[in-house]
Amino acid sequence: MDKRRVGIILGFTFLVPVIISIIDFYVKKRPISDAYWDITIYSVLSIIGIELAIGSWVMTKRSIPLIIGLLANVFVLPCAFLLLLAMGISEK
């Protein structure tokens, strides 16, 4: 495979962590004790998505997938942080 094709594949896979995070957040109903596990999953998926977006940019040198990938995955990371903050506040 050439670098351009690998970059295009990475360009589509950076959306997978965002989609998994959204599905997990809206569909699954779990008790409050598993919220820390969800926060960990959202954070790891967001970091993986950011790395895939940067990898796509390195391989193809296109800026549009980088911008879309970073915006989508960077949106999930603050949501995970706010969920962690809410869990910390609710324990007091």
Side-chain angles (χ1 to χ4, degrees):
M1 282 181 149
D2 58 349
K3 288 176 84 173
R4 183 176 170 91
R5 185 173 172 117
V6 172
I8 291 171
I9 292 171
L10 288 176
F12 288 114
T13 58
F14 67 75
L15 289 175
V16 173
V18 174
I19 293 168
I20 292 172
S21 298
I22 291 171
I23 289 171
D24 184 53
F25 184 77
Y26 284 114
V27 173
K28 293 188 177 183
K29 303 290 184 191
R30 287 183 248 165
I32 199 75
S33 62
D34 288 328
Y36 291 110
W37 176 253
D38 287 340
I39 293 167
T40 305
I41 295 294
Y42 299 151
S43 301
V44 169
L45 285 174
S46 177
I47 291 170
I48 289 171
I50 291 170
E51 290 174 357
L52 287 172
I54 291 172
S56 171
W57 176 72
V58 167
M59 294 290 188
T60 61
K61 298 296 184 194
R62 291 183 180 175
S63 61
I64 292 175
L66 177 70
I67 293 169
I68 294 170
L70 288 179
L71 286 177
N73 287 296
V74 169
F75 175 73
V76 175
L77 203 56
C79 291
F81 173 72
L82 290 175
L83 186 59
L84 179 65
L85 185 66
M87 290 301 299
I89 290 172
S90 69
E91 288 181 356
K92 291 184 178 183

